[in-house]
Amino acid sequence: MSKITFLIIYILCIWIISAVLTVYDKSAAKNKGRRISERCLLLFAAVGGAGIMLAVMKTVRHKTQKPKFMITLPLLFAAHIILICLCIKNQYLNF
């Protein structure tokens, strides 16, 4: 498996898990169910899910009033984009 294939599969898996966790936490908040910890949500954001998590949170209006998320998620997403661009520039990822 090539590096780029692995990266795409990894990102897709992290995005799916991050989106599901975010929607589940929103549902649990509305129904007073067991919630996903902020630490867990931020962990998935840090390992690659920040972009999709930010989009889902804004779409379902979840945690949009919390600066911890509305500042951290865009910064993490920008860091992920920069990291991928640096990897491509330095030929760690070949297309």
Side-chain angles (χ1 to χ4, degrees):
M1 178 182 317
S2 71
K3 292 177 186 177
I4 194 69
T5 304
F6 176 79
L7 180 65
I8 290 169
I9 292 170
Y10 172 81
I11 289 173
L12 286 174
C13 289
I14 291 296
W15 280 9
I16 290 167
I17 294 167
S18 297
V20 168
L21 287 174
T22 304
V23 170
Y24 176 84
D25 191 51
K26 171 64 175 186
S27 176
K30 285 177 80 173
N31 299 319
K32 305 221 187 289
R34 183 167 164 80
R35 304 281 304 274
I36 305 294
S37 71
E38 289 185 354
R39 177 186 235 174
C40 180
L41 292 172
L42 289 171
L43 173 67
F44 274 91
V47 296
I52 194 70
M53 196 174 278
L54 182 63
V56 171
M57 284 183 173
K58 288 190 175 232
T59 301
V60 299
R61 294 188 184 120
H62 185 54
K63 297 198 180 285
T64 56
Q65 300 298 313
K66 291 205 169 216
K68 181 189 284 188
F69 286 89
M70 292 300 107
I71 294 171
T72 305
L73 293 180
L75 291 175
L76 284 171
F77 185 53
H80 295 153
I81 297 298
I82 291 168
L83 182 63
I84 290 170
C85 290
L86 286 173
C87 286
I88 292 168
K89 181 182 177 198
N90 293 321
Q91 298 180 350
Y92 295 122
L93 297 174
N94 297 322
F95 288 98

